[in-house]
Amino acid sequence: MTHGYPGQQAPGYPQTGPQPMPGGHPGQPYPPQQPGFPPGPGPHTGGHPAPGPHTGQQPAVPGPPPGLPAPGQSGPVATGPWAERAAKPASFLRLVAVEFRKLVGTRSDKIVLAFSPVFLVGVLCLIILPQYYLRSASDQIMPNLLGVQLGQLLLFVAVIKLIAGEWQYKSVQPTLLVQPSRLRYLLAQASVLVGVWLLATLVTFIAGPLLVKTRTAMNLQSNWLGMRPGWTLGVIALATALVLLSAMVIGTLIPNTAAAITVFFVAVPLLTFARAGLPEVIGMIYPLEAAYAMAGLGVGAVQTIVSVLVWVGLLVFGALVVSRRDAG
């Protein structure tokens, strides 16, 4: 018999003593089986357990519990009638109602809107009643045009606050979260402004010609506006729409309430007096040049066409700016 080193089993003899675990340390025996537990899967080999017999079918994957998000979703799945109503987009009439509530949302807005007709009538009285030369229809419609430009300034303050204030104070965020379409938002806002235009036109059409009638009776002159009510209404409606257009342009391009109101209060009266001195030049950028042309007080067709193109182009550009403006 050949002897080896101490601790080494001689060849040809059976192995005795503790055996090493596969993948473990030498001399470490298998752990004894605990009573009451099922037998283990066998010796640990460092890999995965052997798969069972192949049946040709994929193992069933359990779905998520009720109320938890499915794979790929970021929150719990809401169910119920209220969730269905919340998933539906807001109707256009509701958007218009929301924009109208924004127009009269604060106490100061209500005060400004309530005082606007009084201010308009007061300005018309100051402009029309001192007039003595009211012999022609153009002479009688001219004070009404000045009343539209100066008497409606207070009304359009609320309009500018509605347009520019939403972006300054980020109050547009809830509206765009309910419905992300900027086009529907702009159309709803425009619908409210159409209502403002109709109201301002109605008040001016009632108060202005009535004051002209009173003054012409005092002057023993003919009341031409009373003889041409359709033309009078058209001139007043067009002038009011053009002043509103200028307010919308300033409100969309300057997303700051104080700055937009300041520019509006300075630009509209300044352009009015500047046109009186340089009608051929200022008429091209004057927002009411088309109304002046309809009233028979225009400078020429070129000034009228250029003025309309300039302000309509500015409105389209402002709408594009709003459609891409960050609401965050």
Side-chain angles (χ1 to χ4, degrees):
M1 181 178 67
T2 305
H3 297 282
Y5 295 99
Q8 181 179 2
Q9 185 70 29
Y13 288 84
Q15 300 289 334
T16 59
Q19 300 296 322
M21 292 180 61
H25 299 283
Q28 183 178 2
Y30 288 109
Q33 183 68 34
Q34 298 292 333
F37 287 88
H44 179 66
T45 60
H48 296 285
H54 182 67
T55 58
Q57 296 181 356
Q58 297 294 334
V61 178
L68 294 180
Q73 295 183 351
S74 58
V77 180
T79 58
W82 66 271
E84 296 178 0
R85 290 193 299 268
K88 293 180 180 179
S91 64
F92 184 74
L93 292 179
R94 179 171 293 183
L95 294 178
V96 173
V98 168
E99 295 302 320
F100 178 77
R101 285 197 295 268
K102 292 179 184 178
L103 182 66
V104 296
T106 63
R107 182 176 298 177
S108 62
D109 294 334
K110 294 182 177 68
I111 294 174
V112 168
L113 291 173
F115 191 68
S116 295
V118 180
F119 182 77
L120 173 60
V121 174
V123 171
L124 288 173
C125 290
L126 292 176
I127 295 175
I128 296 175
L129 292 181
Q131 297 290 329
Y132 183 78
Y133 297 99
L134 298 174
R135 294 186 176 91
S136 65
S138 298
D139 293 338
Q140 295 176 9
I141 199 66
M142 181 63 184
N144 289 275
L145 290 176
L146 293 176
V148 168
Q149 298 167 79
L150 303 177
Q152 296 181 3
L153 289 177
L154 194 60
L155 174 64
F156 293 132
V157 167
V159 173
I160 293 176
K161 288 181 63 179
L162 172 66
I163 299 175
E166 287 199 315
W167 299 97
Q168 179 183 2
Y169 302 109
K170 307 303 181 183
S171 58
V172 71
Q173 290 181 348
T175 304
L176 296 181
L177 286 175
V178 173
Q179 59 86 35
S181 174
R182 299 286 179 98
L183 178 60
R184 296 183 74 222
Y185 160 72
L186 292 174
L187 291 177
Q189 208 167 64
S191 300
V192 175
L193 298 182
V194 167
V196 173
W197 167 70
L198 291 175
L199 180 61
T201 300
L202 180 62
V203 173
T204 308
F205 178 67
I206 293 175
L210 182 60
L211 292 171
V212 170
K213 179 181 179 181
T214 302
R215 186 58 195 175
T216 54
M218 296 171 60
N219 297 343
L220 301 178
Q221 296 169 340
S222 299
N223 180 21
W224 298 105
L225 299 187
M227 300 178 186
R228 305 171 64 179
W231 172 77
T232 304
L233 177 61
V235 172
I236 292 175
L238 180 59
T240 304
L242 293 175
V243 176
L244 178 61
L245 174 65
S246 62
M248 293 171 60
V249 168
I250 294 173
T252 53
L253 293 180
I254 305 177
N256 183 283
T257 304
I261 290 176
T262 302
V263 171
F264 183 75
F265 266 80
V266 172
V268 174
L270 183 62
L271 288 175
T272 301
F273 294 112
R275 184 193 178 277
L278 296 171
E280 292 81 7
V281 178
I282 304 299
M284 294 185 180
I285 60 174
Y286 187 54
L288 276 78
E289 189 63 32
Y292 272 68
M294 185 177 180
L297 302 169
V299 180
V302 175
Q303 285 80 3
T304 303
I305 294 174
V306 173
S307 171
V308 171
L309 293 178
V310 166
W311 286 95
V312 171
L314 288 175
L315 181 64
V316 174
F317 177 72
L320 292 177
V321 171
V322 170
S323 65
R324 300 176 182 180
R325 181 175 291 160
D326 184 16

